[in-house]
Amino acid sequence: MHEPEIEQEMYRQAVALIENRYPTGWGGAGVVHTAQGHYFTSVCLDNANASAVLCIETGAMLEAHKYNEKVTHCLCLVREDENSPFQVLSPCGICQERLRYWGEEVQVAVTTEDTTLKFVPLKVLQPYHWTRAYPWDELDHYKG
């Protein structure tokens, strides 16, 4: 479901977090919105060992999960430096799997050529997801 107010608020919160946490240089922030109306934000864990880094939006997803709240929307926003435009990053495959926990209707922000803020249901990114091979009642670990 397209909800411009939620999407704009997520974008606003991501920009504010980036500008606060990363006043100069590269910056990125993740924001999720939940069915209970809450917003959770996160940043990536900087680490010299790239294999120890987590995706930017992972912390926000974990906060929602900690409070047992259903994620309805997810946004990942980055900028190269303080003079660069903000860019939405579509969720990577691992984050798509993480978000799938809440079902295929989760709205995810996606990268567009013209940098328009656009959200689509997760199922649009995963039309051939492996879970289609099983009845939903056999996938009891999914909340969707």
Side-chain angles (χ1 to χ4, degrees):
M1 177 190 311
H2 180 63
E3 300 181 66
E5 300 81 26
I6 290 171
E7 296 163 3
Q8 288 297 321
E9 178 60 18
M10 292 175 71
Y11 188 88
R12 188 198 68 71
Q13 287 193 26
V15 168
L17 179 54
I18 292 169
E19 289 176 343
N20 184 51
R21 173 64 176 80
Y22 305 100
T24 60
W26 179 91
V31 180
V32 300
H33 176 267
T34 68
Q36 291 81 353
H38 297 124
Y39 296 89
F40 296 103
T41 62
S42 60
V43 298
C44 69
L45 176 65
D46 297 323
N47 197 300
N49 181 344
S51 65
V53 174
L54 291 173
C55 298
I56 296 168
E57 61 272 46
T58 303
M61 286 185 234
L62 290 172
E63 282 294 298
H65 186 61
K66 178 174 78 177
Y67 293 108
N68 198 29
E69 296 193 18
K70 179 180 172 63
V71 170
T72 62
H73 295 73
C74 184
L75 165 73
C76 179
L77 193 67
V78 298
R79 61 141 201 244
E80 290 303 315
D81 62 44
E82 66 276 14
N83 299 311
S84 298
F86 291 99
Q87 296 179 299
V88 170
L89 298 182
S90 300
C92 73
I94 297 299
C95 282
Q96 290 179 44
E97 288 294 324
R98 291 172 180 145
L99 290 164
R100 184 103 180 164
Y101 175 79
W102 293 286
E104 61 184 9
E105 295 300 325
V106 173
Q107 298 292 307
V108 295
V110 294
T111 306
T112 60
E113 288 185 19
D114 63 359
T115 68
T116 300
L117 184 59
K118 180 178 180 176
F119 283 74
V120 300
L122 185 58
K123 67 183 174 186
V124 169
L125 298 181
Q126 301 177 330
Y128 305 102
H129 194 265
W130 63 267
T131 54
R132 300 217 189 295
Y134 302 96
W136 273 109
D137 60 348
E138 290 182 18
L139 298 169
D140 59 30
H141 58 284
Y142 281 101
K143 298 291 185 187

Tab-separated table of all heavy atoms in Angstrom, residues 35-61:
chain	number	residue	atom	x	y	z
A	35	ALA	N	3.782	-1.676	11.806
A	35	ALA	CA	2.319	-1.640	11.826
A	35	ALA	C	1.798	-0.874	13.037
A	35	ALA	O	0.694	-0.327	13.008
A	35	ALA	CB	1.761	-3.065	11.814
A	36	GLN	N	2.609	-0.806	14.093
A	36	GLN	CA	2.211	-0.069	15.293
A	36	GLN	C	2.476	1.430	15.157
A	36	GLN	O	2.228	2.197	16.081
A	36	GLN	CB	2.959	-0.623	16.517
A	36	GLN	CG	2.523	-2.015	16.902
A	36	GLN	CD	3.162	-3.125	16.057
A	36	GLN	OE1	3.862	-2.878	15.076
A	36	GLN	NE2	2.907	-4.370	16.423
A	37	GLY	N	3.010	1.856	14.022
A	37	GLY	CA	3.239	3.279	13.763
A	37	GLY	C	4.582	3.802	14.221
A	37	GLY	O	4.801	5.012	14.222
A	38	HIS	N	5.482	2.932	14.610
A	38	HIS	CA	6.806	3.358	15.075
A	38	HIS	C	7.818	3.369	13.938
A	38	HIS	O	7.688	2.628	12.958
A	38	HIS	CB	7.297	2.448	16.199
A	38	HIS	CG	6.437	2.508	17.406
A	38	HIS	ND1	5.845	1.402	17.960
A	38	HIS	CD2	6.049	3.555	18.167
A	38	HIS	CE1	5.128	1.760	19.007
A	38	HIS	NE2	5.235	3.063	19.152
A	39	TYR	N	8.828	4.212	14.099
A	39	TYR	CA	9.958	4.280	13.178
A	39	TYR	C	11.207	3.879	13.954
A	39	TYR	O	11.416	4.350	15.067
A	39	TYR	CB	10.151	5.707	12.652
A	39	TYR	CG	8.993	6.211	11.822
A	39	TYR	CD1	7.920	6.859	12.424
A	39	TYR	CD2	8.978	6.042	10.444
A	39	TYR	CE1	6.859	7.321	11.675
A	39	TYR	CE2	7.918	6.507	9.677
A	39	TYR	CZ	6.861	7.143	10.298
A	39	TYR	OH	5.807	7.599	9.551
A	40	PHE	N	12.009	3.021	13.372
A	40	PHE	CA	13.294	2.644	13.948
A	40	PHE	C	14.368	2.964	12.927
A	40	PHE	O	14.176	2.735	11.727
A	40	PHE	CB	13.324	1.152	14.308
A	40	PHE	CG	12.338	0.769	15.371
A	40	PHE	CD1	11.153	0.121	15.050
A	40	PHE	CD2	12.588	1.060	16.706
A	40	PHE	CE1	10.238	-0.236	16.021
A	40	PHE	CE2	11.666	0.707	17.701
A	40	PHE	CZ	10.499	0.060	17.350
A	41	THR	N	15.482	3.507	13.408
A	41	THR	CA	16.571	3.900	12.503
A	41	THR	C	17.850	3.156	12.862
A	41	THR	O	18.004	2.662	13.981
A	41	THR	CB	16.842	5.415	12.586
A	41	THR	OG1	17.265	5.738	13.912
A	41	THR	CG2	15.611	6.227	12.212
A	42	SER	N	18.770	3.113	11.906
A	42	SER	CA	20.056	2.470	12.165
A	42	SER	C	21.096	2.942	11.161
A	42	SER	O	20.772	3.559	10.154
A	42	SER	CB	19.928	0.938	12.115
A	42	SER	OG	19.479	0.502	10.854
A	43	VAL	N	22.332	2.639	11.480
A	43	VAL	CA	23.472	2.875	10.594
A	43	VAL	C	24.256	1.569	10.505
A	43	VAL	O	24.035	0.646	11.288
A	43	VAL	CB	24.393	4.013	11.100
A	43	VAL	CG1	23.627	5.334	11.144
A	43	VAL	CG2	24.980	3.689	12.454
A	44	CYS	N	25.164	1.499	9.555
A	44	CYS	CA	25.973	0.285	9.459
A	44	CYS	C	27.085	0.317	10.502
A	44	CYS	O	27.438	1.374	11.027
A	44	CYS	CB	26.553	0.117	8.061
A	44	CYS	SG	27.802	1.325	7.621
A	45	LEU	N	27.604	-0.837	10.802
A	45	LEU	CA	28.713	-0.973	11.728
A	45	LEU	C	30.004	-0.840	10.926
A	45	LEU	O	30.292	-1.680	10.085
A	45	LEU	CB	28.649	-2.339	12.428
A	45	LEU	CG	29.789	-2.677	13.362
A	45	LEU	CD1	29.798	-1.730	14.553
A	45	LEU	CD2	29.655	-4.112	13.834
A	46	ASP	N	30.743	0.232	11.154
A	46	ASP	CA	32.020	0.412	10.465
A	46	ASP	C	33.027	-0.578	11.027
A	46	ASP	O	33.103	-0.777	12.248
A	46	ASP	CB	32.539	1.842	10.665
A	46	ASP	CG	31.606	2.878	10.063
A	46	ASP	OD1	31.028	2.602	8.994
A	46	ASP	OD2	31.453	3.949	10.674
A	47	ASN	N	33.780	-1.211	10.148
A	47	ASN	CA	34.737	-2.205	10.592
A	47	ASN	C	35.828	-2.359	9.541
A	47	ASN	O	35.535	-2.356	8.348
A	47	ASN	CB	34.031	-3.541	10.823
A	47	ASN	CG	34.835	-4.494	11.644
A	47	ASN	OD1	35.941	-4.857	11.263
A	47	ASN	ND2	34.282	-4.920	12.760
A	48	ALA	N	37.058	-2.505	9.971
A	48	ALA	CA	38.168	-2.704	9.041
A	48	ALA	C	38.030	-4.027	8.291
A	48	ALA	O	38.512	-4.158	7.167
A	48	ALA	CB	39.495	-2.661	9.790
A	49	ASN	N	37.366	-5.001	8.910
A	49	ASN	CA	37.140	-6.295	8.277
A	49	ASN	C	35.770	-6.250	7.611
A	49	ASN	O	34.744	-6.344	8.280
A	49	ASN	CB	37.204	-7.400	9.330
A	49	ASN	CG	37.001	-8.773	8.742
A	49	ASN	OD1	36.534	-8.932	7.627
A	49	ASN	ND2	37.344	-9.784	9.519
A	50	ALA	N	35.735	-6.120	6.300
A	50	ALA	CA	34.473	-5.957	5.578
A	50	ALA	C	33.497	-7.112	5.819
A	50	ALA	O	32.286	-6.916	5.768
A	50	ALA	CB	34.746	-5.803	4.085
A	51	SER	N	34.001	-8.297	6.106
A	51	SER	CA	33.093	-9.423	6.335
A	51	SER	C	32.330	-9.296	7.653
A	51	SER	O	31.364	-10.019	7.883
A	51	SER	CB	33.857	-10.748	6.285
A	51	SER	OG	34.779	-10.827	7.342
A	52	ALA	N	32.733	-8.378	8.517
A	52	ALA	CA	32.051	-8.176	9.801
A	52	ALA	C	31.001	-7.068	9.728
A	52	ALA	O	30.273	-6.842	10.693
A	52	ALA	CB	33.069	-7.848	10.890
A	53	VAL	N	30.900	-6.388	8.611
A	53	VAL	CA	29.957	-5.279	8.444
A	53	VAL	C	28.550	-5.823	8.187
A	53	VAL	O	28.388	-6.838	7.518
A	53	VAL	CB	30.407	-4.370	7.275
A	53	VAL	CG1	29.380	-3.295	6.983
A	53	VAL	CG2	31.750	-3.748	7.580
A	54	LEU	N	27.552	-5.158	8.728
A	54	LEU	CA	26.159	-5.499	8.458
A	54	LEU	C	25.534	-4.407	7.597
A	54	LEU	O	25.975	-3.261	7.608
A	54	LEU	CB	25.366	-5.616	9.759
A	54	LEU	CG	25.716	-6.794	10.654
A	54	LEU	CD1	24.962	-6.683	11.973
A	54	LEU	CD2	25.389	-8.096	9.958
A	55	CYS	N	24.470	-4.751	6.893
A	55	CYS	CA	23.764	-3.782	6.063
A	55	CYS	C	23.220	-2.640	6.927
A	55	CYS	O	22.930	-2.820	8.110
A	55	CYS	CB	22.621	-4.462	5.329
A	55	CYS	SG	23.178	-5.753	4.195
A	56	ILE	N	23.061	-1.499	6.328
A	56	ILE	CA	22.657	-0.279	7.016
A	56	ILE	C	21.318	-0.435	7.747
A	56	ILE	O	21.158	0.023	8.873
A	56	ILE	CB	22.596	0.896	6.018
A	56	ILE	CG1	23.998	1.184	5.467
A	56	ILE	CG2	21.983	2.130	6.643
A	56	ILE	CD1	24.011	2.125	4.268
A	57	GLU	N	20.364	-1.109	7.130
A	57	GLU	CA	19.025	-1.190	7.706
A	57	GLU	C	18.837	-2.343	8.695
A	57	GLU	O	17.787	-2.452	9.343
A	57	GLU	CB	17.962	-1.249	6.606
A	57	GLU	CG	18.055	-2.430	5.667
A	57	GLU	CD	18.952	-2.235	4.459
A	57	GLU	OE1	20.080	-1.734	4.602
A	57	GLU	OE2	18.526	-2.601	3.358
A	58	THR	N	19.839	-3.185	8.871
A	58	THR	CA	19.717	-4.358	9.742
A	58	THR	C	19.379	-3.970	11.183
A	58	THR	O	18.510	-4.584	11.816
A	58	THR	CB	21.005	-5.201	9.712
A	58	THR	OG1	21.278	-5.568	8.369
A	58	THR	CG2	20.871	-6.444	10.560
A	59	GLY	N	20.047	-2.974	11.718
A	59	GLY	CA	19.785	-2.560	13.098
A	59	GLY	C	18.350	-2.130	13.309
A	59	GLY	O	17.736	-2.450	14.334
A	60	ALA	N	17.778	-1.414	12.343
A	60	ALA	CA	16.386	-0.974	12.457
A	60	ALA	C	15.441	-2.174	12.428
A	60	ALA	O	14.464	-2.226	13.187
A	60	ALA	CB	16.053	0.010	11.340
A	61	MET	N	15.737	-3.149	11.573
A	61	MET	CA	14.920	-4.366	11.542
A	61	MET	C	14.984	-5.096	12.881
A	61	MET	O	13.964	-5.572	13.388
A	61	MET	CB	15.412	-5.310	10.441
A	61	MET	CG	15.077	-4.881	9.047
A	61	MET	SD	15.610	-6.174	7.897
A	61	MET	CE	16.622	-5.214	6.800
